[in-house]
């Protein structure tokens, strides 16, 4: 079945550092890929998505590129802020399109 | 602008007790979902409802039942709680099941502990 693997956290960075959170997936066909973010005490929010190979999703300074050749969708941000501290989930939606499969989540902690 | 509202936020149950988690959305969405979140395992789908009057099993349905009471409300029932059901439960909704073209909105979660 489909699966999503994320790097384990926590990831601790200083403010203005470069962020990469790795995500790889296993799925048949051409899934859609998503990054969700969960701030403390809140539910998940969609951060960005990409629906086909080589698409780049971007939002709030975060970017991720759909790489079919490496089955990856790594999340990047050039300069993190303390307010980016949260748990980040990579997810995929298969062609049938009725269930999101989530990775285990990566906690990011940004220190001033 | 409530979005997706879950109640309660916290609950402690004894093994064998029953309870119902409530979820309501005010976005006129057709599809609703119940997920559980366990450390290191991400979110796993328990049940979903494509539209009012329909429900389907997700990845981990055992020990749970659901009711799509109307278009707004989707409840999750634990008939006989077990310690393995200790988790954080999230309700979500979306305009349709076609999540390629729409977005899922999540509630704030219910932290359930079964002792």
């Amino acid at each position: 079945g489909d699966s999503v693997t994320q790097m384990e956290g926590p990831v601790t960075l200083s403010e203005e550092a470069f962020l990469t959170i790795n995500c790889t997936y296993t799925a048949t066909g051409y899934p859609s890929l998503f990054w969700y973010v969960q701030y403390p005490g809140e539910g998940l929010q969609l951060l960005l998505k990409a629906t086909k190979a080589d698409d780049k999703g971007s939002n709030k300074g975060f970017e991720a590129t759909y790489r079919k050749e490496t089955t990856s969708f790594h999340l990047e941000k050039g300069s993190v802020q303390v307010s980016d501290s949260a748990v980040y989930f990579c997810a995929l939606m298969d062609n049938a399109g009725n269930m999101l499969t989530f990775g285990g989540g990566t906690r990011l902690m940004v220190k001033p | 602008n409530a979005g997706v509202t879950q109640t309660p936020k916290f609950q402690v149950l004894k093994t064998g007790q029953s309870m119902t988690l409530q979820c309501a959305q005010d976005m006129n969405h057709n599809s609703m979902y119940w997920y559980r979140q366990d450390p290191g395992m991400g979110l796993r789908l328990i049940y979903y409802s494509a539209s009012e009057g329909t429900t389907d099993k997700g990845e981990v349905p055992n020990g749970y039942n659901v009711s799509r009471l109307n278009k707004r409300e989707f409840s999750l029932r634990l008939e006989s709680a077990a310690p393995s059901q200790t988790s954080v439960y999230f309700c979500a909704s979306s305009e349709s099941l076609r999540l390629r073209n729409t977005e899922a909105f999540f509630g704030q979660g219910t932290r359930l502990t079964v002792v």
Side-chain angles (χ1 to χ4, degrees):
Chain A
D2 297 344
S3 67
V4 177
T5 302
Q6 291 180 236
M7 59 190 294
E8 288 192 19
V11 173
T12 303
L13 295 173
S14 298
E15 208 165 20
E16 299 184 3
F18 185 85
L19 169 71
T20 300
I21 299 178
N22 291 338
C23 171
T24 57
Y25 68 90
T26 302
T28 55
Y30 297 89
S32 292
L33 301 173
F34 305 80
W35 276 100
Y36 277 82
V37 59
Q38 182 182 25
Y39 297 105
E42 298 184 12
L44 280 73
Q45 304 172 26
L46 180 65
L47 181 59
L48 53 86
K49 69 178 182 183
T51 58
K52 60 182 188 296
D54 299 326
D55 267 2
K56 178 185 284 188
S58 62
N59 186 25
K60 299 181 181 179
F62 290 89
E63 293 183 340
T65 301
Y66 188 143
R67 302 283 188 202
K68 185 151 180 70
E69 63 276 14
T70 55
T71 62
S72 65
F73 192 54
H74 304 321
L75 183 68
E76 297 182 337
K77 187 175 185 182
S79 176
V80 294
Q81 305 299 313
V82 172
S83 57
D84 294 326
S85 297
V87 181
Y88 293 82
F89 291 91
C90 186
L92 70 80
M93 166 69 68
D94 66 12
N95 288 339
N98 62 17
M99 190 170 87
L100 282 168
T101 299
F102 285 88
T106 303
R107 182 177 298 278
L108 170 65
M109 299 170 61
V110 180
K111 297 184 175 180
Chain B
N1 240 17
V4 179
T5 303
Q6 291 181 233
T7 55
K9 285 190 169 51
F10 301 94
Q11 183 72 49
V12 178
L13 289 179
K14 293 182 179 178
T15 298
Q17 286 186 315
S18 63
M19 79 161 295
T20 300
L21 280 64
Q22 307 287 352
C23 175
Q25 51 91 8
D26 62 1
M27 296 171 283
N28 203 36
H29 285 166
N30 289 307
S31 301
M32 298 185 74
Y33 314 80
W34 276 106
Y35 285 89
R36 59 178 289 172
Q37 181 184 19
D38 300 297
M41 300 188 70
L43 278 73
R44 292 181 292 169
L45 184 64
I46 304 171
Y47 272 92
Y48 66 98
S49 170
S51 60
E52 186 178 353
T54 69
T55 60
D56 286 287
K57 295 179 180 179
E59 185 183 355
V60 288
N62 291 345
Y64 305 94
N65 286 301
V66 290
S67 295
R68 184 73 183 268
L69 303 170
N70 47 55
K71 192 170 186 180
R72 289 186 64 248
E73 298 172 288
F74 188 40
S75 62
L76 178 72
R77 183 159 179 84
L78 287 70
E79 290 290 352
S80 179
S84 61
Q85 295 177 304
T86 293
S87 188
V88 180
Y89 292 84
F90 286 99
C91 178
S93 72
S94 64
E95 189 172 307
S96 75
L97 283 182
R98 299 298 300 172
L99 288 178
R100 285 174 175 272
N101 304 317
T102 186
E103 177 181 343
F105 292 82
F106 286 78
Q108 291 190 328
T110 296
R111 186 174 295 275
L112 175 67
T113 303
V114 183
V115 297

